[in-house]
Amino acid sequence: VLFGLIMTFAFTDWVMSLDPHWFSTIWGVLFMVGCGAGALCFTVMLMGANHDRKPFAEVMSPALTRDLGNLLFVFTMLWGYLHLSQYLIIWSGNLPEFTTYFVYRSQGGWNMVGAALIVGQFFFPFIALLVPRVKREPMLLARVAGWLFVMRIFDIYNFVIPFFRPTPVPAWMDVVAFLGLGGVWLAIFAREMAGAPILPRYDRRLQEALEHAH
C-alpha cells in the first residue's frame, strides 16, 4: 500500500504535472508495473550471468528459471494491458485535453518510438517467453530480461521527453542524466551487494524445495 501511494504521488508530481491539463487515472499503476518489471529484469540478468557461480549455482534449476520466466511474462502482459487500457479510455472519451498526450507521441518521429516499444516490449518478449527452452536456460532468459530492461529505458524516455521536445533525438543532458544517476545507483548496489549475503541465511525454503522437487 505504501509503495502504491508513493509511486502514484511521485510520478504524478514528476511526470504527469509536466502537462498541467492532461491526467490519467491509471498512471500510478502503470509506473508500478514498469518499476516491478525493471527490477525483475535486473534480478534475472544478475542471476543468469552468475548461474554457474556460488551461491546462485546452489539454487539454480529449470524450475526456478521457469518461474522467473513466467513472472517476466506476467509483467509483459500487464504492461501491454495497462497501456492499451489507457489508450482505449482516452480514445473513447475523445476530449481534447486528454488526446494531446497521444498527439505529441504520434508525430515528429515519436510514432516510430511507440511502434518500437509495442514490438520490443510486448510482442517480442511475449513470443520469446512462450518458448520452453528460453525459460529453461538461464542465459537465454537473461538475454530476454536484458532486452526488456533496455525497452524499459526507452519506455521512460517516451513518457517524459515528448513534453519537452517535438522529436525523439536525445540531447546531451539526457545521456548525462541517465549515465550519472545510473552509475550512482550501480555503485551503491555493488557496495551493498559486496557486504550482504545474496541468499537469505536463515530461510532454507528455496534449497528445501530443490531437494524435494520432482
Side-chain angles (χ1 to χ4, degrees), residues 29 65-66 92 96 122 129 161 163 175 179 187 196:
V29 180
T65 56
R66 184 178 64 248
S92 62
F122 181 74
L129 292 169
I161 301 302
F163 289 120
V175 179
L179 294 178

Side-chain angles (χ1 to χ4, degrees), residues 184-207:
V184 170
W185 188 91
L186 283 174
I188 296 174
F189 176 82
R191 186 190 65 184
E192 295 296 323
M193 188 175 177
I198 298 176
L199 297 178
R201 290 177 176 175
Y202 306 110
D203 190 346
R204 299 283 301 175
R205 285 177 292 184
L206 183 57
Q207 290 86 341

Side-chain angles (χ1 to χ4, degrees), residues 36-213:
L40 181 61
C41 288
F42 187 80
T43 302
V44 172
M45 286 191 296
L46 186 65
M47 294 187 68
N50 298 277
H51 71 279
D52 55 348
R53 304 175 185 174
K54 290 185 177 182
F56 295 108
E58 300 174 1
V59 298
M60 192 64 66
S61 69
L64 177 60
T65 56
R66 184 178 64 248
D67 290 341
L68 292 172
N70 289 337
L71 282 172
L72 284 175
F73 186 79
V74 168
F75 275 107
T76 299
M77 292 287 292
L78 277 174
W79 181 88
Y81 169 76
L82 291 172
H83 275 273
L84 180 61
S85 298
Q86 179 176 260
Y87 179 81
L88 289 178
I89 291 171
I90 292 177
W91 177 80
S92 62
N94 197 27
L95 299 175
E97 60 268 28
F98 295 141
T99 56
T100 52
Y101 177 86
F102 289 105
V103 171
Y104 293 152
R105 288 158 181 79
S106 62
Q107 55 191 8
W110 286 109
N111 53 343
M112 301 301 296
V113 176
L117 283 170
I118 292 173
V119 174
Q121 192 162 340
F122 181 74
F123 283 107
F124 171 74
F126 179 87
I127 295 172
L129 292 169
L130 286 175
V131 180
R133 183 189 171 195
V134 172
K135 292 185 287 187
R136 187 170 58 247
E137 298 186 13
M139 285 306 299
L140 286 178
L141 187 62
R143 291 190 183 100
V144 175
W147 174 271
L148 272 171
F149 191 82
V150 173
M151 288 296 105
R152 286 296 311 137
I153 297 172
F154 281 102
D155 193 25
I156 296 295
Y157 191 82
N158 189 55
F159 273 126
V160 178
I161 301 302
F163 289 120
F164 298 99
R165 290 197 297 273
T167 62
V169 179
W172 69 270
M173 282 291 291
D174 302 334
V175 179
V176 170
F178 172 74
L179 294 178
L181 291 174
V184 170
W185 188 91
L186 283 174
I188 296 174
F189 176 82
R191 186 190 65 184
E192 295 296 323
M193 188 175 177
I198 298 176
L199 297 178
R201 290 177 176 175
Y202 306 110
D203 190 346
R204 299 283 301 175
R205 285 177 292 184
L206 183 57
Q207 290 86 341
E208 291 173 0
L210 291 175
E211 293 172 2
H212 298 287

